[in-house]
Amino acid sequence: GTTLGASAAEKGRYFGTAVAGFKLSDNTYTTILNREFNMVTAENEMKMNATEPQQGRFSFSAADQIVNHARSRGMSVRGHTLAWHSQQPGWMESMSGSALRQAMLNHVTQVATYYRGKIHSWDVVNEAFADGSSGARRDSNLQRTGNDWIEAAFRAADAADPNAKLCYNDYNTDNWTHAKTQAVYNMVRDFKSRGVPIDCVGFQSHFNNDSPYVSNYRTTLSSFAALGVDVQITELDIEGASANTYRSVVEDCLAVARCNGITVWGIRDSDSWRSYQNPLLFDGNGQKKAAYNAVLTALNNG
Ligand code: G3I
């Protein structure tokens, strides 16, 4: 293939990017998007504060702009995200207990129902584990509704959109030896053993000098896959955009049969949430970087 999406497709995989809706009027941005990618994640527009700004009043216009742009061009969509401690609407941030649990489940149900049949994979729950060595759940208003809030969210999503893949998504879960990775692994193993409807695990893979790519990443992907879930690289960016590291990530995904695809978290360096790290595949002018060529070659050689 001559593009990321086409080359990934030849390997039975997708290659995606995060998209910010307000950039779809930027011709350079949209030209690269439409040429290179066959999977799209809304960078912010499908989050809880965007889709339910007032309780019970849903707002899908910003998300629909991205979903329609993608699907009308044959791209698929990752839904990000149904339940998260961050970027909650103000009304939800101040809720607790059973009222919050019910509001969260209603949100999952309403959003997944609205998009039923249109989403390749949902990040049903995002970032629910603590950083550091505890292996514990992250403290949040959702966690304080009870430890079973995650499986409740997955059951609600499954009832609303039974044919979408339902993913748990997190960061700093790339290094197989880290407590957070093991804690997520144990949750997924438990969910599979009890029939909780989980289909996939998303590895955000925001690599930087503090949490770098490590060679046991492939072990992490294959170990989760061995539990009977798909794995997806969902928010890839690499500080400095090392071509060697990008190549390794692609090779690791291609080496794991259940690695469905790779999504980078933005198109140009200037689009990145960490633009100062120049972590992406295109420079600020939309020119392909060395990392782009490494990724394309790895996809074609794999
Ligand atoms: O839209 C408002 C704008 O009206 C306001 O004037 C401006 C002032 O701060 O803020 C704008 O909202 C910002 C939004 O991005 C849209 O640009 C928020 O402040 C800002 O916090 C938000 O950042 C996003 C961040 O998630 C929020 O947690 C980033 O764009 C987005 O890339 C980032 O993505 C996350 C994933 O969802 C989950 N994994 C980590 C990843 C990186 O942090």
Side-chain angles (χ1 to χ4, degrees), residues 43-44 47 80 84 87 126-127 204 206 235 265 273:
E43 188 172 1
N44 289 294
K47 294 173 180 175
H80 175 76
W84 190 19
Q87 281 182 287
N126 194 42
E127 301 177 0
Q204 294 185 10
H206 293 292
E235 304 183 16
W265 204 242
W273 69 301

Side-chain angles (χ1 to χ4, degrees), residues 24-262:
L24 290 174
S25 57
D26 175 336
N27 188 53
T28 304
Y29 182 85
T30 306
T31 298
I32 300 170
L33 169 64
N34 295 349
R35 185 185 71 219
E36 297 287 343
F37 298 97
N38 54 14
M39 179 69 74
V40 158
T41 306
E43 188 172 1
N44 289 294
E45 293 80 351
M46 223 176 268
K47 294 173 180 175
M48 300 178 102
N49 58 356
T51 51
E52 196 178 356
Q54 297 169 269
Q55 188 170 13
R57 298 224 174 165
F58 290 85
S59 167
F60 295 113
S61 54
D64 280 345
Q65 185 194 12
I66 294 173
V67 171
N68 293 338
H69 182 98
R71 286 172 49 81
S72 67
R73 289 166 177 80
M75 308 173 191
S76 299
V77 178
R78 296 193 79 266
H80 175 76
T81 175
L82 293 172
W84 190 19
H85 69 277
S86 182
Q87 281 182 287
Q88 293 179 1
W91 61 265
M92 185 179 279
E93 286 177 331
S94 58
M95 287 181 86
S96 63
S98 59
L100 173 61
R101 172 71 71 103
Q102 201 46 49
M104 179 273 288
L105 292 176
N106 183 58
H107 181 87
V108 171
T109 298
Q110 297 300 324
V111 177
T113 298
Y114 180 83
Y115 285 111
R116 185 201 315 258
K118 296 183 173 178
I119 302 299
H120 177 284
S121 299
W122 277 111
D123 290 333
V124 178
V125 170
N126 194 42
E127 301 177 0
F129 280 81
D131 294 311
S133 58
S134 70
R137 293 284 182 83
R138 176 193 299 275
D139 181 50
S140 73
N141 61 346
L142 292 171
Q143 180 64 26
R144 290 191 290 272
T145 73
N147 203 53
D148 62 344
W149 74 275
I150 298 178
E151 61 193 85
F154 273 85
R155 292 189 197 283
D158 184 51
D161 192 3
N163 293 328
K165 291 182 199 271
L166 304 179
C167 305
Y168 176 78
N169 191 53
D170 214 329
Y171 66 89
N172 280 353
T173 49
D174 319 291
N175 188 327
W176 179 240
T177 67
H178 280 178
K180 189 172 174 181
T181 309
Q182 293 297 316
V184 175
Y185 178 84
N186 288 332
M187 179 189 73
V188 174
R189 186 172 57 186
D190 170 55
F191 279 13
K192 293 300 288 184
S193 74
R194 291 190 294 113
V196 177
I198 185 169
D199 303 303
C200 41
V201 176
F203 297 85
Q204 294 185 10
S205 307
H206 293 292
F207 293 120
N208 57 57
N209 297 336
D210 295 324
S211 49
Y213 170 85
V214 289
S215 59
N216 67 32
Y217 186 57
R218 189 180 297 194
T219 299
T220 302
L221 298 179
S222 62
S223 298
F224 275 83
L227 293 175
V229 290
D230 291 341
V231 294
Q232 301 174 354
I233 298 167
T234 54
E235 304 183 16
L236 178 63
D237 47 25
I238 299 170
E239 180 169 9
S242 157
N244 282 332
T245 306
Y246 265 105
R247 177 185 307 116
S248 295
V249 170
V250 172
E251 289 173 350
D252 291 342
C253 181
L254 293 180
V256 177
R258 294 197 75 156
C259 183
N260 302 152
I262 299 171

